Amino acid sequence: MGAKVGGKKGGAMAEINVTPLVDVVLVLLIIFMVVTPMLSSGIDVKLPQAKTAEEEKDLGQHLVISVRNDGAVFVDKDRVDLETVAARVEEIRDNRPLLIKGDQSVTFGQVREVMDKIHERVQGTDTLLLAVDKPKEK
Amino acid sequence: MGAKVGPGGQGGMDEINVTPLIDIVLVLLIIFMVMTPITVEKMASNLPPTDPPEEPPPDQVPPDQLMVAIYEDNTVALNLKPEPTDEALHEDVRLRLRGKDKKTVFVDAHPKANYGRVITVIDVVRDAGADKIGFADLKEEGPARLPPGVDYASLSAPAAPAPGTAPAP
């Protein structure tokens, strides 16, 4: 009987209580699942779809200029107007490539005017990048 | 002895083996941590020079240059030839780019054309082999159109005699 008790005790000590560990890990998992879609640069717009686009990791290397579906223009996350967008871009660009995120429902003219304003004032903007979404596999 | 085996078996059934569960959850966690720097998809496009040198008249497209026009009603024409479908545009662009060194295609869109539509057209053109996309100057009245009543076929085949002038026997 003595031997039996010793064996039982040893068994109990060998196991770590994993319930809190699982709790913490699950919470972390949920946090990541929630935060992941909110991390993209710039503001959230509904991008047009294109299948020929090049894919690149978004590590914040672009300066993002967004045109929202109501025509409002944003540099990074700050609202600007058409007259000040170029000055703002010039101020905070820091040699980053420019990425234009236009909502798919705006007119071409709205996006193009922003591009032209930037191109007129900021050096090295002959080539601009247009953000798109890859179509989902059907 | 039989009684002993029973309780022992039940004790084992009490606890769920959580180790594989933790394994899976940790792996999922690591997958999400790695994927968090999300990807952006993008296309490069070129703008015309700010003060362009001597511009040719807007409706004269050099024959070896590809100009895709997108009109206010989101219809498309390649060098003034109306393209009823994206497939037709794809095929025409592909044929005209074949064997060219500089696979540049210009896009001339009406300011009121839908931006999503412009991107779709650029996508089609790039898929057809274009490696450089340039935007033409933005014009208030949009890209040039065929004059009303003129058929593209009659433009492209000027050598064919008009029906009225055909010699009658």
Side-chain angles (χ1 to χ4, degrees):
Chain A
M1 198 160 142
K4 255 190 179 174
V5 170
K8 262 195 179 166
K9 265 200 176 160
M13 295 281 283
E15 285 173 34
I16 306 163
N17 187 3
V18 285
T19 319
L21 175 67
V22 175
D23 275 3
V24 170
V25 170
L26 276 173
V27 166
L28 275 176
L29 180 68
I30 290 165
I31 289 174
F32 271 100
M33 287 172 73
V34 171
V35 166
T36 306
M38 302 184 344
L39 279 180
S40 58
S41 309
I43 65 156
D44 196 23
V45 297
K46 198 161 181 351
L47 292 170
Q49 298 198 333
K51 58 180 188 298
T52 61
E54 295 101 29
E55 214 168 277
E56 196 183 314
K57 279 235 163 71
D58 184 4
L59 303 168
Q61 74 273 47
H62 300 107
L63 176 56
V64 180
I65 296 112
S66 316
V67 182
R68 208 168 56 185
N69 56 359
D70 59 359
V73 182
F74 295 79
V75 175
D76 255 348
K77 291 189 159 87
D78 309 323
R79 173 102 193 241
V80 293
D81 57 46
L82 201 52
E83 301 311 312
T84 56
V85 58
R88 181 87 183 125
V89 167
E90 199 173 36
E91 188 187 332
I92 66 169
R93 182 180 174 213
D94 201 15
N95 260 328
R96 283 180 285 175
L98 303 182
L99 181 69
I100 312 285
K101 282 173 75 172
D103 193 281
Q104 62 175 5
S105 61
V106 299
T107 67
F108 177 68
Q110 282 173 301
V111 178
R112 188 54 203 280
E113 271 174 19
V114 173
M115 293 166 77
D116 279 350
K117 291 277 185 227
I118 294 168
H119 185 224
E120 271 167 27
R121 175 146 177 183
V122 186
Q123 292 291 311
T125 52
D126 286 349
T127 299
L128 294 174
L129 302 169
L130 304 177
V132 294
D133 259 346
K134 275 256 157 87
K136 293 256 172 356
E137 304 289 326
K138 277 167 201 165
Chain B
M1 195 157 140
K4 256 192 178 172
V5 170
Q10 273 183 4
M13 296 282 281
D14 274 350
E15 289 171 33
I16 307 165
N17 188 5
V18 284
T19 320
L21 175 67
I22 296 171
D23 274 2
I24 290 170
V25 170
L26 277 173
V27 166
L28 276 176
L29 180 68
I30 290 165
I31 288 173
F32 271 97
M33 287 173 74
V34 170
M35 274 175 52
T36 308
I38 336 137
T39 57
V40 277
E41 282 96 31
K42 63 191 187 180
M43 308 193 283
S45 64
N46 297 292
L47 293 170
T50 336
D51 33 30
E54 296 273 316
E55 259 190 88
D59 50 1
Q60 277 183 18
V61 182
D64 60 336
Q65 182 176 314
L66 289 181
M67 178 74 87
V68 178
I70 303 162
Y71 300 111
E72 195 174 355
D73 52 3
N74 293 327
T75 56
V76 175
L78 176 66
N79 288 7
L80 292 180
K81 180 189 173 194
E83 300 284 358
T85 64
D86 285 355
E87 286 73 33
L89 174 69
H90 186 281
E91 186 62 15
D92 266 3
V93 172
R94 196 179 62 79
L95 290 176
R96 292 196 189 213
L97 281 178
R98 205 166 46 185
K100 272 195 175 183
D101 302 333
K102 283 178 76 180
K103 297 183 190 296
T104 303
V105 174
F106 292 94
V107 173
D108 191 0
H110 192 284
K112 292 212 167 62
N114 172 254
Y115 175 68
R117 175 69 183 142
V118 174
I119 295 294
T120 310
V121 171
I122 293 175
D123 194 31
V124 169
V125 170
R126 280 167 53 105
D127 197 42
D131 53 16
K132 215 167 179 188
I133 301 293
F135 281 126
D137 277 315
L138 192 64
K139 294 179 286 292
E140 189 86 9
E141 73 283 359
R145 269 181 190 274
L146 279 179
V150 176
D151 190 28
Y152 179 78
S154 65
L155 272 185
S156 56
T165 58

